Amino acid sequence: WPTCPLILMAFAMGVAYFFADWFMVAAYNMGSDAATVTTFLILMPIVASTFKLVAGGGLPNAYQVVGYFVIVGGIVLVGKGTTP
């Protein structure tokens, strides 16, 4: 079972993601463009792997590196789709 500091850290990360999602949806509903909101949504796995690197140590595995390239490709496609 997780120890008390790990439970508190998991709870804090859950609260942080809740508010991040809340503000992202609020930004979209208040007139933000879909490309900005989609880009922030696509970047969530990078935030998670950075947290893993800082908190747990270790380098990303091959699946995560491939995921980074997919994320970059997704951001490029979202950017291309919004240019007039």
Side-chain angles (χ1 to χ4, degrees):
W1 289 97
T3 60
C4 186
L6 291 178
I7 291 173
L8 293 176
M9 185 170 52
F11 180 73
M13 290 302 297
V15 169
Y17 271 99
F18 170 78
F19 281 111
D21 287 343
W22 181 278
F23 287 122
M24 184 172 61
V25 170
Y28 182 73
N29 287 334
M30 291 182 180
S32 179
D33 60 338
T36 304
V37 174
T38 305
T39 301
F40 282 119
L41 186 63
I42 289 174
L43 290 175
M44 288 294 182
I46 291 180
V47 172
S49 65
T50 303
F51 180 72
K52 176 193 168 206
L53 178 68
V54 171
L59 296 175
N61 59 28
Y63 294 112
Q64 290 170 331
V65 172
V66 169
Y68 298 152
F69 288 114
V70 170
I71 290 168
V72 169
I75 291 172
V76 167
L77 290 175
V78 167
K80 277 185 154 188
T82 58
T83 43

